[in-house]
Amino acid sequence: MRCKAKVAILMATYNGEKYLKEQIESILKQDFKSWELFIHDDCSEDKTLGIIKKYCQKYPEKIHNIEGNSTGCAKNNFFFLMNSIDADYIMFSDQDDYWHSDKIVKTFNEMKRLQEKRGPNIPLLVYTDLNVVDSERHEISASMSHYQGFNIHKRKITDFLAENTVTGCTIMINEPLLNKCKNLKDTSNVIMHDWWLALVAAKYGDISFLNESLIDYRQHGNNSVGTTKYNYEYIFRRLKKGRSIRKRINSTRKQAMCMVRSFDIEDINDVVYRYATIGSQTKIRRLFFYINNGIRKSGIRRTIGLYMFG
């Protein structure tokens, strides 16, 4: 399906009746008007689908229900949506957040600036910060990057191999990046769709971070992916769980190998190829590889965890 508007917004839903109306209303109130919303519901058992159909009937030119089989998780739901539409620019929406009225226009302006700099055929990604709120939208933190201790000014492929700092609901991508990420045969080793988009953009195009919080990122008991405050208690709790850290790092290597196979990366000196296969080498070789290639995580403590258990 070809989006007639400038921006296609993709929303994945599942049992989202509690906050869905508020999120759709925040999109309807956007200052930027040239958008269409495409929703795929993953077999919700509550009133979510009924809410979607009512909005589709009320705004048939703006809101569309994309039918399809159950995808099983938010990641695959978003990949299904990416494979279902074509558009000049694409954004991603969770079912339970709240978009500030200037979210699209500010992100779009940054995308146009980046596109003028890099050219129309380069895969591009723009992302922003978030305002972390509780279930009633009371502010927890005005900046998720500060709350989690993330280094969000990242653009290189080596920045994203071991860690993702791009949150999907803040992203805008252009059509070249969409086409680069379409028709992925196997998503089982992709950790999350936003991480994959960041990896592909960093490898084959460019990324820009807009240092503004343009969305209320709601934290509640049913979040598919949430956020945790980055503090010493969190650090010590993670470091005591060396096995889970190793498992997480290994999953990033599998994701890198998925990238190797998807894009036919055959150069054994390519940093993605080397990261994907580094697990078979000695710990000292892995350590030198991380250091020499600038592969690290946000903050010294997270990086120590990578160096110790990776």
Side-chain angles (χ1 to χ4, degrees):
M1 180 183 294
R2 180 71 193 179
C3 176
K4 298 176 183 177
K6 205 70 176 171
V7 175
I9 304 168
L10 311 184
M11 180 187 287
T13 63
Y14 177 71
N15 288 349
E17 65 175 0
K18 188 172 183 179
Y19 305 112
L20 180 58
K21 290 181 182 179
E22 190 175 11
Q23 169 64 333
I24 294 177
E25 288 294 333
S26 76
I27 294 173
L28 287 166
K29 294 174 183 176
Q30 289 295 300
D31 298 334
F32 186 97
K33 301 302 182 184
S34 185
W35 57 264
E36 290 181 42
L37 174 61
F38 299 86
I39 309 173
H40 177 252
D41 182 68
D42 208 8
C43 299
S44 289
E45 298 170 345
D46 62 2
K47 298 177 182 178
T48 297
L49 187 57
I51 294 170
I52 294 167
K53 288 182 177 180
K54 285 182 180 179
Y55 273 100
C56 290
Q57 290 171 0
K58 188 174 182 180
Y59 302 97
E61 299 299 317
K62 300 292 284 184
I63 303 176
H64 315 282
N65 178 38
I66 307 299
E67 295 183 350
N69 296 329
S70 173
T71 61
C73 63
K75 172 188 72 176
N76 288 337
N77 199 339
F78 279 115
F79 273 111
F80 170 81
L81 282 164
M82 282 192 282
N83 289 330
S84 300
I85 63 99
D86 292 295
D88 295 329
Y89 305 97
I90 302 89
M91 300 183 79
F92 301 83
S93 171
D94 293 340
Q95 65 186 6
D96 49 8
D97 299 324
Y98 188 89
W99 286 18
H100 300 181
S101 62
D102 55 358
K103 173 177 164 58
I104 298 180
V105 69
K106 286 187 174 180
T107 310
F108 179 76
N109 288 341
E110 178 62 18
M111 172 61 78
K112 295 297 287 184
R113 185 200 66 79
L114 184 62
Q115 193 164 285
E116 288 174 5
K117 176 182 176 183
R118 296 303 312 272
N121 300 318
I122 303 297
L124 302 175
L125 182 152
V126 172
Y127 69 112
T128 76
D129 208 340
L130 310 94
N131 183 37
V132 184
V133 300
D134 65 14
S135 60
E136 302 302 318
R137 287 183 54 218
H138 299 134
E139 185 176 288
I140 298 172
S141 174
S143 168
M144 195 180 83
S145 60
H146 178 75
Y147 185 71
Q148 290 194 310
F150 275 146
N151 173 15
I152 33 67
H153 298 281
K154 294 187 172 189
R155 294 174 59 185
K156 305 189 300 296
I157 183 63
T158 50
D159 293 328
F160 292 102
L161 288 171
E163 178 184 68
N164 181 38
T165 58
V166 173
T167 306
C169 57
T170 74
I171 289 175
M172 176 181 283
I173 65 174
N174 65 351
E175 190 170 24
L177 181 55
L178 174 68
N179 293 336
K180 198 83 173 168
C181 294
K182 273 189 170 185
N183 303 316
L184 183 63
K185 293 180 181 178
D186 183 8
T187 63
S188 60
N189 287 322
V190 175
I191 297 171
M192 201 60 186
H193 68 287
D194 50 12
W195 200 335
W196 185 257
L197 290 168
L199 282 166
V200 177
K203 174 70 173 172
Y204 298 104
D206 203 354
I207 295 175
S208 178
F209 173 70
L210 181 60
N211 193 18
E212 292 190 52
S213 296
L214 301 177
I215 179 174
D216 288 347
Y217 189 56
R218 198 189 307 260
Q219 298 301 292
H220 55 86
N222 297 321
N223 286 72
S224 177
V225 178
T227 181
T228 304
K229 185 172 178 59
Y230 181 67
N231 54 27
Y232 284 100
E233 181 183 350
Y234 167 83
I235 295 160
F236 291 137
R237 188 168 65 247
R238 290 298 302 274
L239 287 177
K240 283 194 290 186
K241 297 182 179 179
R243 183 178 296 178
S244 65
I245 295 175
R246 289 190 187 95
K247 184 177 180 180
R248 181 68 172 175
I249 294 169
N250 188 50
S251 70
T252 67
R253 294 192 187 117
K254 289 180 179 179
Q255 182 170 246
M257 180 54 70
C258 180
M259 195 171 187
V260 167
R261 291 168 176 165
S262 299
F263 297 105
D264 298 321
I265 300 174
E266 299 179 349
D267 182 3
I268 61 173
N269 293 315
D270 185 283
V271 69
V272 178
Y273 187 100
R274 293 181 66 194
Y275 185 82
T277 57
I278 196 71
S280 61
Q281 298 190 20
T282 65
K283 188 168 185 176
I284 192 67
R285 283 183 177 271
R286 296 198 301 270
L287 180 59
F288 277 117
F289 170 74
Y290 298 145
I291 294 172
N292 291 338
N293 288 277
I295 297 173
R296 52 184 294 120
K297 292 192 173 187
S298 295
I300 186 64
R301 298 172 187 87
R302 283 195 181 102
T303 301
I304 289 172
L306 171 65
Y307 290 174
M308 284 177 61
F309 301 110

